[in-house]
Amino acid sequence: MILSGKEILRHLGKEIIIEPFDPSRINPNSYNLSLANELLVYENDLLDMKTPNPTRHITIPPEGLVLEPGRLYLGRTNEFTRTDKYIPMLEGRSSTGRLGLFIHVTAGFGDVGFAGYWTLEIFCVQPIRIYPDVQICQIYYHDIDGEYEPYQSGKYQNNTGGDYEFSLGLNGLGSCATQYSSEYFDAIIRRDGFKYTLHFEKGELVGKMKKEPTDRKATGSIFRWKPDLAVFTDIDIPKEYFEDTLKRQAVVNAGVTFTFRDQENGKFVKTDYCYPNGILDYVNEIAGEQTLTMPQFWEAERKGRDREDKPEYKVRISAALCFSNRVNRIEYYHNSSWLEHGGAPEKAVKNAFVYAIDAYCKQTNKYTKSESKITFQDVADCLVLVTNCFSTQTSYENQTKKAITNKFVQDAMAEFFRDRLHVYFIENKQEAERIADQVLVNKRSRESAEKARLNIKKKLTGSLDIANRVQKFVDCRTKDVSKREIYIVEGDSALGSVKLSRDAEFQGIMPVRGKILNCLKADYDRIFKSDIITDLIRVLGCGVEVQTKKTKDLSAFELENLRWNKVIICTDADVDGYQIRTLILTMIYRLCPTLIQEGYVYIAESPLYEITCKDKTWFAYTDAEKAEIVKKLEGKKLSINRSKGLGENDPEMMWMTTMNPATRRLIKVMPEDMERTMQIFDLLLGDNLQGRKEHIAENGYKYLDQLDVS
């Protein structure tokens, strides 16, 4: 007997699970399933039933994908389904069949208890365009007659209690997938007084299962495998990934030792990870000894449901926490998985901690008059918290399983933390005082930083109108940012020379007055008090990036607000000019490094020598170029003039050598050189005094002839 649509609805959330569910897709005796946006196709024309057949992924774009006739595509449903007491069956829809598109023509029936996404065999007789999320097939539910393997043991129906109540990963899918993708896979299982041994090669069982008696006390499983390089084409996995994974598993599995063996120089280096008290030991490790409060361990168990039409399930909540003014960290784990993006537990913690601490601050009159309430960021800045929960039903945000969405888990955890914090504050008044005081310190510091950020942003990104003109800044006429260039020059004399030489249509000028502040050594307060620097940033228009945790709230950088296509540093070709150039580069790297990373920053080369022979002139930018030109003019009467500075160059020369896009020389500051450059900057301009002394001792003799000594 096939269930009617009404019967499907009646059993939904109980014996029948369809997630996500849309009531509009219910038919008289079926439910329409939709197509996910990914397909698999076989790479080989000839397929072999005894060997793995390589495949490649195809993503179905929103505008659709045209399927080729005579080719098999493997798709899957968007919907996850699970059944109990009924047999699921999949059929293509008649509307797709009439178009010559055939869906899932084999293995239409699933097993009682099937849980997962459906793989769809897709084949067409003529070209047809398909789309993601289109309703492509329908699922039916049949009664089953007679006895059947019910999957009602605790192993599979973990709602009912028993040894497997909070266990997961028990259907063997992970082991099956691993052995299919391995060169070999060995399984040794000890239980009930016997040892069972299986050996697989490339997904196939080699020989038969061996069964032999063993000590009844000896229990457990051992799995060994070697990944198949035909399947895993990229195996460059960093050592840190394995170490981090094993450590996290040790944290959430109290008392279990996880061993990592790494082969180095022919020998194995062994590292053990074990936390006898689980997350409590981990919190102690993170927080250290000097904490505001003693570490706490709380746990509870709750039972409920996500919705009225959903089945009831259990959640076991455990948490370890303390408060600190030195470190902070919050991590969420669920069913032994690290929830990198949190989801339901994160929402619960934010709600409960803000509620409890805000209530305490109000109760004890810690807020000043008309002061705003605390935020979770204020709490998180001094909180060390690790939660480790298990539930008999789990809904993940997506297949990456980095966040869960269970409404009941969220509500249960929020209530749990609210209650525990309320009692904790009553029983530990001194610690409650310290917590509230520290959270308020964090809040007021954040608000002060935000006020400073807004002031700085206003100062640095204000419009350049007549009333807000930057002193001596010379703008260009065009408003087309893709054409605009800003020349940063040293001093008024260079300003005059460049101004007479430029193309006023697209070239602007910003002079700096002498040597600007060394931004590498100065703190942000001092930097933003410098008129030269703030004027430069205002002219650029993009704001600043602040890359330290303490002053992260000062960041107001927006690349799209940059007013220029090229930022050109133009200084004299002498020692002072090089130093000013370096200081400007340092400022840009410190305050807006993205300009360098995105290729907006250039250095304009200016010639060192002007060589004249008869009515022709050559410009040499280096001593080597001068020597080459002189060699070519050997025997001819010529004059060589050393360039003394940009301010002494005539406009025609400046245009030709420095300003004309067709003849000038620009050095693009490359992002790959940034790290090395900053090492040099730190050596020459930073606080590394000893390094600077050693550098001068080793290299100073090379520059003795450039010393300005009278």
Side-chain angles (χ1 to χ4, degrees), residues 490 512-518 532 575-577 579-580 583:
E490 54 172 310
V512 296
R513 300 175 291 281
K515 295 176 182 177
I516 69 170
L517 181 70
N518 179 2
I532 298 174
V575 174
D576 285 341
Q579 186 176 7
I580 293 171
L583 290 170

Side-chain angles (χ1 to χ4, degrees), residues 108-123:
F109 284 95
D111 291 319
V112 178
F114 170 81
Y117 300 88
W118 289 82
T119 299
L120 306 175
E121 305 143 11
I122 303 174
F123 180 88

Side-chain angles (χ1 to χ4, degrees), residues 200 550 634:
F200 298 85
K550 291 183 178 179
E634 189 175 0

Side-chain angles (χ1 to χ4, degrees), residues 180-199:
Y180 265 108
S181 57
S182 300
E183 282 190 29
Y184 66 82
F185 181 96
D186 291 324
I188 302 172
I189 295 93
R190 293 180 174 90
R191 59 174 296 172
D192 304 326
F194 291 94
K195 182 176 80 171
Y196 303 86
T197 305
L198 290 164
H199 178 70

